[in-house]
Amino acid sequence: MAQHTLLQRLGLGRRAEDPFAVFLAPAARAINQARQSHLASLGLDLANKRVLEVGAGIGLHTPFFLERGCDVTVTDGRPENVAEIARRLPGVTSALVDLELDRPIELGRFDIIYCYGLLYHLSNPERALGRLADICDGQLLLETAVSPGRHDELLLVRDPDAFNQAVSGIGCRPTRLWVLNRLKSLLGWGYIPRTQPDHVDFPADWVHTPIQTMHRSIFVGSRTLLVLPTLLDSVPMAQETYRGA
């Protein structure tokens, strides 16, 4: 039996050729679950908001906000991904938004901007954050890969060619201080949670960071002061891991 025929019978050939398979892999599902469980633990008011989701991939995070009664506009920088969002979520507004382009986002104003897993795929993250801040009336929820350095620094890197990677081919690794300083400058207030999601990519010890290719962190930018026991307004060198209630 030809190898490709055997793979088709097993369902492996179809998955290998599916450009969206990277979003649906077990590892991707695991990190999404950890991210959203953690977000729900922060005590933020996320119900019945007007939400803009940027860098949404194929919209797998969107149900988190739909379940909370939010009006969600779901966007991505790749037309193929936006078409898949429209197919999967036909009742939800979707649009093409490429934050690498030097143009404003003309989709209205939003209470919440959800930017998980996008910033480190951008070659000009400061300009992108400025565009998002321009249309944000509440909070900018941000998750990104970071450099474990302690200074206000931004490193550029080359991304592989895939549907879940940089559109331009160039990404970045900002330090946590770089991100926090930009959020404070653009929105007024910026925070880092006391906890990290329960996933290997989110270290809790930033003094002796683990030797791995990815270090991630969560941030909250806000137009108003947030007084929550879950949030810090400085860069912590030690965090706890959120393992559920």
Side-chain angles (χ1 to χ4, degrees), residues 23 27-38 60-61 114 199:
F23 296 108
R29 292 184 181 275
I31 192 171
N32 286 346
Q33 182 178 357
R35 286 161 160 168
Q36 296 197 328
S37 176
H38 176 264
L60 299 181
H61 293 217
Y114 182 76
H199 186 276

Side-chain angles (χ1 to χ4, degrees), residues 42-58:
L42 297 181
L44 297 165
D45 180 7
L46 302 178
N48 303 309
K49 303 298 184 184
R50 187 151 193 255
V51 176
L52 175 67
E53 188 179 350
V54 293
I58 58 175

Side-chain angles (χ1 to χ4, degrees), residues 101-116:
L101 301 179
D102 188 12
R103 64 181 61 164
I105 301 172
E106 298 179 340
L107 295 172
R109 304 196 63 80
F110 297 88
D111 305 308
I112 300 290
I113 294 180
Y114 182 76
C115 182
Y116 269 41

